[in-house]
Amino acid sequence: MDGTKPAMESNAEETQDEGQESKGCSECCLKCLGGVPYASLVATILCFSGVALFCGCGHVALTGTLTMLENHFSRVTSDHATLATVIQIFQYIIYGIASFFFVYAILLLGEGFYTTSAIKKELQSDFKTTVCGRCITAFFMFLTYIFALVFIAIFCFTAIPVFLFFNMWNTCAAMRSPDANITSPASICVDVRQYGLVSLNATPGKACGTTLGDICNTSEFYLSYHLYIVALAGAGATVIALIHYLMILAANWAYLKSAVSTHEYQDIKTKDDQDLEAEARSKEGQNSSSYS
C-alpha cells in the first residue's frame, strides 16, 4: 500500500501538469487569434484573387485577340503594328500591376496588424501609438483612395473588349439561330476597322457570313471572350477589396485618433486628481502641526 500511494500522487501531478500545458497552449492560441486583423485579411485575400484574375486572364486574352486579328482581319503586319505595340505596353503594365499590388496588399495587411496590436494595448491601458503611426494610416488611406479610383477606371476600360466580343458573339448566335429569318447571311458583317483596332486600309478588315461564323468557332475567339469576362470580374473584385481596405483604414484612423484624445483626457484628469490629493495631504499636515 505504501508503494502504491506515491505512484498515485505522481500520476495525479503528471495529469495536472498536462492540463496546465494544454490550458497554456489554448490561451496562447486564443491570444494569437485575437491579434489577427480579420477584416484586413479578407480584403487581402480578395485583392490577391482579383489582381491575379485580372492580370493573368487579361494578359492571355490580349495575346489571343492579337492572334485572331492577325489571322482573320489584318494579314499585313503594318496595318496592325500600332495595335500590337499598344497590346505589348498593356502587358507590361499588367506585370507592374501584379507586382505592385502584391507588395501593397502585404503592406496594408501589416498596417492592420499594427492597428490591431495598438487597440489591444489600449484595452490593456498600455496605449503607445505615435503621431507617426497615425500619419502612416492616413497616408495609406489616401493612397488606397487613389488606387480605388484607378482600378474603377481599369474596370470600365476592361468592359470595352467584353462589349465588343459580346456583340460579335450575339451576331454569330443570331446567324446560327433557326428562328432567325436571314435571307442573306453574307450581308451580316463585323468590321473591326470602325473600332480603330486596325488601319482603314487593312485587308480584309471585316468578316461576313460563313467566315464570321468560322471565326466565332475558333479557340482564340472563344478563349479570349471568356478570359475578358473573368478579367472584368477580377477588376471588380479588386475594386471591392480596395473599398474594403479604405473603410478599414478610415475606421482604424478614427479609432486611433479618438483613443489618443481619450488617453490625453485621462492623463490630465489623473494629474489633476494627484494634485488635489497632494494639496489635501499638505492641508492635513498643516492642521496636524497646528494642533500639536
Side-chain angles (χ1 to χ4, degrees):
M1 296 292 292
D2 293 338
T4 306
K5 188 174 182 181
M8 294 176 62
E9 292 178 353
S10 63
N11 291 333
E13 291 177 356
E14 290 177 358
T15 304
Q16 186 177 3
D17 292 339
E18 292 177 356
Q20 291 178 352
E21 289 180 359
S22 62
K23 184 178 180 181
C25 291
S26 62
E27 290 178 354
C28 182
C29 291
L30 291 175
K31 185 177 180 181
C32 292
L33 292 175
V36 176
Y38 292 102
S40 297
L41 185 62
V42 171
T44 301
I45 294 173
L46 186 61
C47 184
F48 281 165
S49 302
V51 171
L53 289 175
F54 170 75
C55 294
C57 296
H59 185 278
V60 178
L62 288 172
T63 303
T65 301
L66 184 59
T67 303
M68 185 181 67
L69 288 174
E70 290 175 344
N71 293 336
H72 304 286
F73 293 99
S74 178
R75 297 187 177 92
V76 180
T77 305
S78 59
D79 291 337
H80 59 270
T82 303
L83 179 64
T85 303
V86 171
I87 286 178
Q88 188 176 14
I89 293 173
F90 282 160
Q91 288 177 334
Y92 283 126
I93 292 175
I94 284 174
Y95 295 146
I97 289 175
S99 303
F100 175 80
F101 272 92
F102 176 79
V103 176
Y104 189 68
I106 293 295
L107 290 176
L108 290 180
L109 183 61
E111 193 278 337
F113 274 101
Y114 159 76
T115 308
T116 303
S117 176
I119 293 172
K120 287 185 65 178
K121 289 181 179 180
E122 190 272 338
L123 294 175
Q124 298 170 1
S125 299
D126 190 22
F127 193 76
K128 296 181 180 179
T129 187
T130 60
V131 176
C132 181
R134 297 194 298 276
C135 289
I136 290 174
T137 300
F139 178 69
F140 276 130
M141 185 166 58
F142 172 75
L143 283 183
T144 304
Y145 177 76
I146 298 299
F147 293 146
L149 293 180
V150 171
F151 242 96
I152 289 174
I154 291 175
F155 176 81
C156 296
F157 181 78
T158 309
I160 296 176
V162 174
F163 175 74
L164 297 179
F165 273 80
F166 177 73
N167 284 341
M168 193 170 175
W169 179 277
N170 272 350
T171 303
C172 294
M175 291 174 57
R176 293 192 298 263
S177 176
D179 298 331
N181 188 14
I182 301 175
T183 57
S184 179
S187 62
I188 300 177
C189 302
V190 171
D191 192 344
V192 298
R193 293 173 296 187
Q194 65 181 340
Y195 301 118
L197 299 178
V198 295
S199 65
L200 295 177
N201 299 323
T203 54
K206 64 179 181 179
C208 302
T210 306
T211 304
L212 178 60
D214 293 338
I215 293 174
C216 291
N217 292 329
T218 59
S219 59
E220 292 88 1
F221 175 83
Y222 183 84
L223 184 62
S224 297
Y225 175 45
H226 290 86
L227 286 179
Y228 276 127
I229 294 175
V230 177
L232 180 66
T238 306
V239 170
I240 294 173
L242 291 173
I243 294 175
H244 195 177
Y245 274 131
L246 191 61
M247 292 189 294
I248 294 168
L249 291 168
N252 289 343
W253 184 81
Y255 188 90
L256 292 175
K257 185 178 180 181
S258 63
V260 169
S261 301
T262 302
H263 274 268
E264 289 177 352
Y265 170 76
Q266 290 177 351
D267 291 339
I268 294 172
K269 184 178 180 182
T270 302
K271 185 177 180 180
D272 291 341
D273 292 341
Q274 290 175 352
D275 293 340
L276 291 174
E277 186 177 354
E279 185 179 354
R281 287 180 180 176
S282 63
K283 289 182 179 179
E284 289 178 359
Q286 291 175 0
N287 293 332
S288 61
S289 61
S290 62
Y291 284 129
S292 60

